[in-house]
Amino acid sequence: MDNHHIDHDREDRIGFQEVVYGESKSVEDLSHILEDFISNGKNVLVTKLQKNKATVFLKKYENAMYDEPSGIFILKPLKELIKKDEVAIISAGTSDIHVSNEVFYTLKYMGVNATKVNDVGVAGIHRLMDKLEILRSFKILIVIAGFEGALPTVIGGLLSQPIIAVPTDIGYGVARGGHVALNAMLSSCANGISVVNINNGYGAAMSAIRILNLINK
Amino acid sequence: MDNHHIDHDREDRIGFQEVVYGESKSVEDLSHILEDFISNGKNVLVTKLQKNKATVFLKKYENAMYDEPSGIFILKPLKELIKKDEVAIISAGTSDIHVSNEVFYTLKYMGVNATKVNDVGVAGIHRLMDKLEILRSFKILIVIAGFEGALPTVIGGLLSQPIIAVPTDIGYGVARGGHVALNAMLSSCANGISVVNINNGYGAAMSAIRILNLINK
Amino acid sequence: MDNHHIDHDREDRIGFQEVVYGESKSVEDLSHILEDFISNGKNVLVTKLQKNKATVFLKKYENAMYDEPSGIFILKPLKELIKKDEVAIISAGTSDIHVSNEVFYTLKYMGVNATKVNDVGVAGIHRLMDKLEILRSFKILIVIAGFEGALPTVIGGLLSQPIIAVPTDIGYGVARGGHVALNAMLSSCANGISVVNINNGYGAAMSAIRILNLINK
Amino acid sequence: MDNHHIDHDREDRIGFQEVVYGESKSVEDLSHILEDFISNGKNVLVTKLQKNKATVFLKKYENAMYDEPSGIFILKPLKELIKKDEVAIISAGTSDIHVSNEVFYTLKYMGVNATKVNDVGVAGIHRLMDKLEILRSFKILIVIAGFEGALPTVIGGLLSQPIIAVPTDIGYGVARGGHVALNAMLSSCANGISVVNINNGYGAAMSAIRILNLINK
Amino acid sequence: MDNHHIDHDREDRIGFQEVVYGESKSVEDLSHILEDFISNGKNVLVTKLQKNKATVFLKKYENAMYDEPSGIFILKPLKELIKKDEVAIISAGTSDIHVSNEVFYTLKYMGVNATKVNDVGVAGIHRLMDKLEILRSFKILIVIAGFEGALPTVIGGLLSQPIIAVPTDIGYGVARGGHVALNAMLSSCANGISVVNINNGYGAAMSAIRILNLINK
Amino acid sequence: MDNHHIDHDREDRIGFQEVVYGESKSVEDLSHILEDFISNGKNVLVTKLQKNKATVFLKKYENAMYDEPSGIFILKPLKELIKKDEVAIISAGTSDIHVSNEVFYTLKYMGVNATKVNDVGVAGIHRLMDKLEILRSFKILIVIAGFEGALPTVIGGLLSQPIIAVPTDIGYGVARGGHVALNAMLSSCANGISVVNINNGYGAAMSAIRILNLINK
Amino acid sequence: MDNHHIDHDREDRIGFQEVVYGESKSVEDLSHILEDFISNGKNVLVTKLQKNKATVFLKKYENAMYDEPSGIFILKPLKELIKKDEVAIISAGTSDIHVSNEVFYTLKYMGVNATKVNDVGVAGIHRLMDKLEILRSFKILIVIAGFEGALPTVIGGLLSQPIIAVPTDIGYGVARGGHVALNAMLSSCANGISVVNINNGYGAAMSAIRILNLINK
Amino acid sequence: MDNHHIDHDREDRIGFQEVVYGESKSVEDLSHILEDFISNGKNVLVTKLQKNKATVFLKKYENAMYDEPSGIFILKPLKELIKKDEVAIISAGTSDIHVSNEVFYTLKYMGVNATKVNDVGVAGIHRLMDKLEILRSFKILIVIAGFEGALPTVIGGLLSQPIIAVPTDIGYGVARGGHVALNAMLSSCANGISVVNINNGYGAAMSAIRILNLINK
């Protein structure tokens, strides 16, 4: 009754294929979907997959990879990347690793190698200043922050590349859930920062891919 | 006591100069700021300037332009643009003109000519389908919508360019103020759409400029 | 002290009998209620019943059925339906199965056979276009969506039947809990879409029953 | 630059033509839109039009009608209706007249005569009880309420027709803006009530039209 | 370091003694508090005590009583009540038992016997009508409801006694947590209904006690 | 089309007659309503009537009274009150006069004389302490506060009468609109305080009337 | 009936006298209050007084001063200050002048001279860096910001003095009203920043006074 | 890939070193961070560390201390404090111990001894009055409250020291999560109270340290 009809033409249409949102699907439904991709000879990216469900599929598909902090699951091994680094994934530290890894592995799945730049939080701004030259060398900056979400604003006043801001759900009290970081990024007085949903590392990566496709065309 | 020190080095630093947010400043404070720009031989863009305040400055500076729906004020005449169209400003109709004009004039101030594509709302999707080929010819799509904010999602499933979504405050009941459109855009199940604040046409334009600078480098 | 007095006249009064909301009742209280229905010779529909509580009743009443994703529990076997399909249950995929099943089984309990139409999400609009003729053959369309909730808007611009929109709680970040989908449906720029509470598949089904009763009178 | 391309095929496609949302459009933009309808030989319904803007058009188009409480503007005189009453518009009193009139005139524009049933608020429930037989004679009930929004719930427990609930923005304190009435209607423990946006009398009328089209087919 | 100094004079001051909020206190802290009451020769009422913590104290104090749905814990046996019924606790059914029991046992602890009147929900209003005469015999009506919270409004239009409305957290979607019921009660168009916090059965009972003290003085 | 049918039996039914909410009704509609009351030989209380509308009726009905801060309008002169003071209306100062007057005049209309006790704000608690004996002499305490709404909590810990708390919309920043005061009153750690809607002086007075009716029966 | 009893002992009690919140009081009520202060030989500070009301009092009291952006009104001339600068009032520019002036004049009224440091917004962080040495010379930093409210966080990571953060209502879209700035300041990942209500320049100044009293004791 | 670079210069820069937010970091990431501090010869404070993660580190580092209610973890033993008490930590009782302990241990880690003053809730204000002289002897008052958060307001009207208010998440219904207490503190009509995030005992302690550093310089 519930056959999943994958949008296999999407890649032809807009350059990237359908991805599977894992969080709210049962193991049974995911199994049908994965088999459908396999029978079409395709690789597949599953996002926000919980560990207990991933364990089932890691046993079944021995080449698959799974990143626990982000919940990213990739069915087949990825090819060696030869492209040079074009994207920096900037965050204040390890608390946001569930999001920075989602960006990292989504980009990798799309064939883009990225570099993580950590420990550049706004509460210790000199560390950010020390890395300005390195940051200037990337084409796109994906900036991740929870709590008060000020990091994209500070970077936006210092650097001129496209900046994709990703709020995370890290924080407590008024910051719980990430809405403060999201709203602070949307309200930024720095110029031309664009924003994705809370914890949407996948979306930030795809937004970068849209830009890179434009450059590399 | 309240001297305004304009950030005249910003252009050297990140490629675009400081802009003036007009909505919450008094005529007196704005006068000082405009004179400071003039004395530095610069043009200036003022955003969200109310009509009663604009009238004062239009009398004083005869070459200035003012767009009433958006509240954009530009001090000096802009040079003729020779760049070809690279940005499409897409919206459902004239209700969102205060935002589409803010995008249009900000881009023009930055030296970029843009094309408006109206009347492509999701409630009559065949009109959007008819324009897909035209839309495919632009490098960047800025998609504006109020109410339920579904337009960027539909376009995101059909086209592969960078998409910057701008929610507007048009709507009533739960949609009043634009939060529904904003949240719908952030929650979009289409891939890689990035979003700016409600009515932030200026920010969308600057986000496009960051991408265009990257391409045209 | 807490005797439950079932509204056994409701069926005479408004054409459908009382239903039991299972989520917040204890096993003990539910047992009394079920026995009361049984002693009145009636069947009963329990909604949103958690699995651990359903297990108790499945052991006790061997003819009962239980659908785990939706939590629908029906005490007695339903008669074979001879009515033709009049309702389509439209959704983007398996993530919303907890709601589409609640619609499906409630309709079935009320004697109405429905057809599920899946994988017609707005991010791949051509798949929806391919199914327009099929959708046109139904009397009532129940459209289910989480995340940005754009599907009813798109369908509302293409089809003329009564449309009942059901937001679901599927999504993360700003979409968590389903409020974005709900508000987007309420704000739809498409004409004449009516909406029920988040995850309220039962209510959507009953709303359809009210319309079908009117037609079939 | 801003030509409005009206969706003149919509009537063929889904049985009713495009309507104009008047609140956020300028007189200039509305003028272009009205002329476009006129040049296509069509009548047009404008919703939520402010009085100062309506005055301009009432002078220009002498056959036009305008209802001030609701802001409904109709360009050409409507034909005499011969259809019998099929819709009841139920509300507690004159505070909600801006919404009940929007329902009434939209239905009239669509060729449907409706009857208003006022003064049936929940705080004096015997008056509602007195009118139950009258209410039973209508095919569809549109129930309007502000404040705590309880009226659709009470009616839903007493009558079996399709019920479309319309929350209004009437109320103060926590009720200001209509969100309490909206949420109470969505949360109703009565069966099968569907809901539209706050003050969306137009949407409720169109939802009724979708059902009536189905019956009268 | 954390000695608890109980407000043992409160009874003299305002007629009722300090009560212990159990939900957020540890077993260790509660133990000290209970012993302090015991050493002062007093009984004590603990509210919203979780089952795992209650179990510890039920073992230790063999005369104590504990009501699991409400989490009410009372240290010593209550005296036989000879007062006649003065308070009715009205609710729609067993879903709100966690709150109706909190009202019931708090009143009992304060020496007041109350009567529960269930199954009088607004979706089946005739059952409420049948009980009007019984309800008229009570001095105070405590009306409990979750979901859309309409019951106090309907009762307020029919009866003239003091009405204390208690919203509960029962409901899903927009109703989850009880804010809709609370706001609907606050917005009631019925006259002179007063409201307490969501699930605050204890507060409703104490509000009744303040009134009864006034009458019985 | 919009005849207003006043609930003239309400007084027999629940002891107090229908009152008119003036804020959202037009002068025309209010005129019909007032005439209806007059033709039935009744007095009438209109709440929250704006000054511009009141002026019309003060000209027409020369015996009418109108209190501008609260917007209370009473058609006919009230009889001399002989009842002794039973209700204290307590507030921190003149900022809340719009609400304290609504309580005062509603009580007066109902035949109850009340005493205002001002300048007892929590920021200067010794002034409250000085008035405790006076406050103890009243049967019912209506406590009004905006901003952080702490006054009912402090009074609730000191006095044992029924306390009806009324939040007001006075405050700025997070306190704007009165939601903080409302929520603080609902969350009060003092016992047995009941609450009405923001600015609902009318409701607080009617709640007191329900209690007084009980006492004086 | 509404005599205002000023808390004239407050100064003895806690070191600073009562202040008058002007926004929600009528001219008549304010007149009584001012005369009460005058008859007690005291000066008085009125906050958030609207211009039309201030004009009345400026005519009546010729020595009074009024600052229009902040709405601060001071009845008598202030003595010449001899204290050296101890407080810096830091903000990004003239948009927040309504708040920075409220801080400035409240401090002046309390006998403290402060220095405004403007144009140090986070979007141009080098200008802030240039002023670090100057900022280090103040005892207390009051940091004012609207929009995303990031300035206190950046300053908090660079300087070690007490920092009082004041969010302002400047911003649009999600930032309208100042809640984003407030929440970002509360969520700051910088250490030991304390926050006052939106636009509460008065409160920030008084918080500084409490600290200065401690130092200068 | 994820090396943590601790900001070891922060102590030189602003007088206190980096602290580790434990709640959202994995055991593995925390292990790297702790070892980094150890290899730099430093002690470290971890906040909001869950018990299951603390257990791992308590086994590994035998001199470490862990406070379960607050989740404070300190790697090395603290030196004996010789400073006299300068800070009072005031709260209503043991429900807020998770926050009062976070304040206490953070201050201790910073070398400041503090005194807890419990059981001074606003519902029994005489107990607070009894302790006024003791409270007057402290330099700084940190006032902690959940529910309606009125305690700082009452204390602010009685005492003149710096007051840092800390809302807690203790409460239910509208108070759940601590937003009511937070907003009530921000809206306080008492003078000069500054506020930190919900449950942010750490931030309150650091705010006190900034003031103490100023005094003791």
Side-chain angles (χ1 to χ4, degrees), chain E residues 10 13-19 136 138-140 155-164 182-183 186-198 200 202-204 206-208 210-215 217, chain F residues 10 13-19 136 138-140 155-164 182-183 186-198 200 202-204 206-208 210-215 217:
Chain E
R10 192 177 294 178
R13 209 167 65 244
I14 58 168
F16 27 83
Q17 65 160 59
E18 195 179 351
V19 159
R136 213 166 260 138
F138 293 96
K139 288 195 172 147
I140 297 173
I155 288 178
L158 293 166
L159 293 162
S160 63
Q161 301 106 303
I163 294 173
I164 302 160
L182 168 64
N183 287 333
L186 289 167
S187 308
S188 175
C189 56
N191 286 316
I193 292 168
S194 68
V195 186
V196 296
N197 195 6
I198 299 161
N200 190 5
Y202 167 73
M206 293 309 292
S207 185
R210 284 179 180 265
I211 298 172
L212 290 174
N213 283 350
L214 188 68
I215 306 173
K217 214 161 34 183
Chain F
R10 192 177 294 179
R13 211 166 65 244
I14 58 168
F16 28 83
Q17 66 160 57
E18 195 179 351
V19 159
R136 214 165 259 137
F138 293 95
K139 288 195 173 147
I140 297 172
I155 288 178
L158 293 166
L159 293 162
S160 63
Q161 300 106 303
I163 294 173
I164 302 160
L182 169 64
N183 287 332
L186 288 167
S187 308
S188 175
C189 56
N191 286 316
I193 291 170
S194 67
V195 186
V196 296
N197 195 5
I198 298 161
N200 191 6
Y202 167 74
M206 294 309 292
S207 186
R210 284 181 180 263
I211 298 172
L212 291 174
N213 283 350
L214 186 67
I215 306 172
K217 213 156 42 180

Side-chain angles (χ1 to χ4, degrees), chain H:
Chain H
M1 186 172 68
D2 261 299
N3 297 320
H4 187 89
H5 301 285
I6 296 162
D7 185 4
H8 292 303
D9 301 329
R10 192 176 295 179
E11 198 163 4
D12 299 336
R13 208 167 65 245
I14 58 169
F16 27 84
Q17 66 160 57
E18 195 178 351
V19 158
V20 177
Y21 176 60
E23 190 174 41
S24 56
K25 293 190 178 69
S26 67
V27 166
E28 193 189 349
D29 286 333
L30 284 166
S31 293
H32 291 305
I33 293 170
L34 291 178
E35 287 301 314
D36 189 354
F37 276 94
I38 287 167
S39 67
N40 279 275
K42 302 212 166 183
N43 197 359
V44 63
L45 177 76
V46 182
T47 61
K48 301 198 192 300
L49 189 67
Q50 296 90 336
K51 193 181 181 181
N52 65 325
K53 294 194 282 188
T55 307
V56 176
F57 298 117
L58 286 171
K59 279 186 191 145
K60 191 169 174 188
Y61 307 108
E62 58 181 14
N63 289 321
M65 72 142 275
Y66 176 67
D67 175 64
E68 187 176 334
S70 64
I72 285 282
F73 176 93
I74 300 175
L75 190 64
K76 297 183 181 177
L78 300 176
K79 296 167 196 151
E80 198 56 38
L81 297 176
I82 52 168
K83 285 186 190 169
K84 67 182 182 303
D85 277 6
E86 293 184 311
V87 180
I89 304 169
I90 308 169
S91 71
T94 54
S95 285
D96 296 324
I97 197 175
H98 59 314
V99 179
S100 59
N101 279 12
E102 188 174 303
V103 177
F104 183 84
Y105 289 111
T106 300
L107 285 171
K108 204 165 178 181
Y109 177 80
M110 300 300 295
V112 174
N113 211 6
T115 300
K116 286 191 178 186
V117 182
N118 293 330
D119 293 308
V120 290
V122 288
I125 217 158
H126 64 112
R127 288 188 295 175
L128 173 59
M129 293 304 195
D130 292 349
K131 291 190 175 161
L132 275 187
E133 283 319 301
I134 295 169
L135 293 177
R136 213 164 261 136
S137 69
F138 293 94
K139 289 196 173 148
I140 297 173
L141 307 176
I142 295 177
V143 189
I144 299 167
F147 283 95
E148 89 294 338
L151 190 55
T153 293
V154 173
I155 288 178
L158 293 166
L159 293 162
S160 63
Q161 301 105 302
I163 294 174
I164 302 160
V166 195
T168 77
D169 62 353
I170 298 303
Y172 59 92
V174 296
R176 187 168 303 287
H179 294 82
V180 173
L182 168 65
N183 287 331
M185 291 169 181
L186 288 167
S187 308
S188 176
C189 57
N191 287 316
I193 292 168
S194 67
V195 186
V196 297
N197 195 6
I198 299 160
N199 285 358
N200 190 6
Y202 167 73
M206 293 309 292
S207 186
I209 293 293
R210 284 180 180 263
I211 298 172
L212 290 174
N213 283 350
L214 188 67
I215 305 172
N216 300 324
K217 211 158 40 180

